[in-house]
Structures are given as C-alpha cells and as structure tokens.
Amino acid sequence: GENVEQHPSTLSVQEGDSAVIKCTYSDSASNYFPWYKQELGKRPQLIIDIRSNVGEKKDQRIAVTLNKTAKHFSLHITETQPEDSAVYFCAAVISGYALNFGKGTSLLVTP
Amino acid sequence: DTAVSQTPKYLVTQMGNDKSIKCEQNLGHDTMYWYKQDSKKFLKIMFSYNNKELIINETVPNRFSPKSPDKAHLNLHINSLELGDSAVYFCASSHLGGVAGANVLTFGAGSRLTVL
C-alpha cells in the first residue's frame, strides 16, 4: 500500500514564527493530499488539502505545497499561535479509496 | 446534529471478552472506515466499506469483524480481546472519487477501548 513518511515527529516554535512539516509518499498514482489537525483528546479534522493538478494552496495562515516529481508535499503555518499546538497528520489516498496517514507531528507553540 | 456518531465513547473490559463499537453517519456518504489510533498517536486504516461492500481490509487479526447493515452504519466487533487492542478506534465517512469533496474524511469522536 501507499507509504507516507512524515517529518519531524515533534516541532517546537515560538509564537509568531513559522512551522513547516514535510511528507513524502511512494505511490505516483496518488492524487489527493490532505492535512489533518488533531487537538488533545479530539478527533482529527481536515485543515487543508491539495489535489495533484495544483502545486500550492493557501488558506489564511496555512499553505500546502506539492511536488509531484519528487513525491513530497509540505504544510506551512505562518505567524503561529498557541492554539496551533496539536498533532498534524499528512495523508495520501491508497487504493483509490482510503487515506493512509503519516505518523504525525506534534507541534508546540510557546508564547 | 452529529455527523458521525460512534458508541460507546469509553469501553473498559477484561482480556478475552468480546465487545462491539457502533458507528452511524448522517452525511449521505457512501463510504465508511475504521481507523485505529494507538498510544503513539499512529492513525492506521483497518477497514473500509463502500455501499455495504468491503473494499479495504488491511492486515488486521480476524478477531476483528466489521459489519455494515447499510451505507449509513458500520459496526466493529472484536472477539477475544487482547491487551494490544487497547487504543482509540475512530469511525469516519466520506464520498468516494468523482464528486466534489471526495475522499475528505469526517471522523467520529472516537471510542477509547481499554483492555485490562
């Protein structure tokens, strides 16, 4: 199945700084790449996604970039705030159906 | 209205017991999933059903048996529970490809299973 590698596993930044999380995938047929945020004790929720016909997508302070040639995609969070602290998961579609998730990045934003 | 609801939210049981978790979605999605999240927060796909048909069955012990009576419901039954089954089990649903918003998962709140 699709293998999704995610780095780093933990990330600590100061409030106001930027955070970048990177993922690579193995199946060149994958065409959908979402990012989910999971706050402590809560369910994962979609924050942004990108489909393979675009290279970048932005939504206020978050952006995702995709490099299909290199098979990697990244999440960028600018002007981080303490409420951005959570576990972030990247994912890619496997078998055309389900999402296979990376192992998660625990982001801590310190005031 | 809760979009994806699963019950129970917490389940504490002894090794060797059998237990079930139920899931229902009211989003009109055609595909439902079970994911397992262990203590290290890894989210791993277990099963996927499309219109009541099993389409993904990852390497999961056959003690786990999913059942989808209709496309709005997907239940998970676990036999002979083991310590390693302790985890949070998330139900999710989505549309499949070909429609706007395809593959976007909506998760339930999770069911925390503790096996003693």
Side-chain angles (χ1 to χ4, degrees):
Chain A
E2 172 69 273
N3 193 29
V4 181
E5 300 283 339
Q6 181 172 349
H7 300 279
S9 56
T10 60
L11 181 58
S12 183
V13 299
Q14 291 260 315
E15 183 177 359
D17 287 350
S18 294
V20 180
I21 304 170
K22 298 184 178 183
C23 286
T24 60
Y25 61 96
S26 57
D27 186 353
S28 55
S30 293
N31 60 3
Y32 176 63
F33 308 94
W35 287 88
Y36 283 75
K37 176 183 180 182
Q38 186 178 27
E39 296 175 351
L40 190 62
K42 302 283 181 67
R43 73 194 78 191
Q45 292 196 291
L46 179 73
I47 55 170
I48 196 167
D49 57 9
I50 192 167
R51 297 192 187 264
S52 61
N53 55 342
V54 297
E56 183 173 359
K57 185 176 176 182
K58 208 171 179 182
D59 182 3
Q60 299 182 341
R61 294 186 299 107
I62 58 173
V64 55
T65 58
L66 170 65
N67 183 329
K68 282 223 82 182
T69 305
K71 289 194 249 177
H72 66 71
F73 56 113
S74 301
L75 177 71
H76 304 254
I77 307 173
T78 57
E79 300 169 35
T80 52
Q81 300 166 3
E83 50 266 38
D84 294 330
S85 297
V87 179
Y88 291 81
F89 294 94
C90 64
V93 173
I94 55 171
S95 307
Y97 301 113
L99 293 180
N100 205 23
F101 287 88
K103 291 187 175 176
T105 296
S106 182
L107 173 64
L108 177 64
V109 181
T110 52
Chain B
D1 274 350
T2 304
V4 181
S5 59
Q6 50 183 114
T7 55
K9 192 169 172 64
Y10 300 98
L11 193 49
V12 181
T13 189
Q14 300 283 335
M15 272 175 54
N17 284 350
D18 304 338
K19 290 294 175 187
S20 292
I21 308 171
K22 296 187 175 183
C23 180
E24 176 181 3
Q25 55 95 4
N26 62 5
L27 296 167
H29 288 160
D30 52 21
T31 307
M32 296 184 72
Y33 313 81
W34 279 111
Y35 280 85
K36 178 181 180 181
Q37 186 169 47
D38 62 20
S39 57
K40 292 182 180 177
K41 302 295 185 186
F42 299 160
L43 261 175
K44 190 166 170 55
I45 180 76
M46 299 174 70
F47 302 102
S48 176
Y49 271 75
N50 173 251
N51 284 321
K52 305 190 296 175
E53 298 294 325
L54 180 66
I55 53 172
I56 287 181
N57 180 355
E58 290 293 299
T59 310
V60 176
N62 58 14
R63 298 182 295 105
F64 291 77
S65 50
K67 188 171 261 188
S68 181
D70 56 60
K71 70 176 189 176
H73 295 83
L74 179 61
N75 304 322
L76 183 65
H77 188 77
I78 316 171
N79 289 327
S80 305
L81 280 156
E82 300 178 357
L83 293 177
D85 298 333
S86 295
V88 179
Y89 292 84
F90 283 100
C91 176
S93 69
S94 77
H95 285 299
L96 267 193
V99 297
N103 302 116
V104 176
L105 294 184
T106 300
F107 283 89
S111 297
R112 181 176 292 277
L113 171 66
T114 302
V115 182
L116 303 175

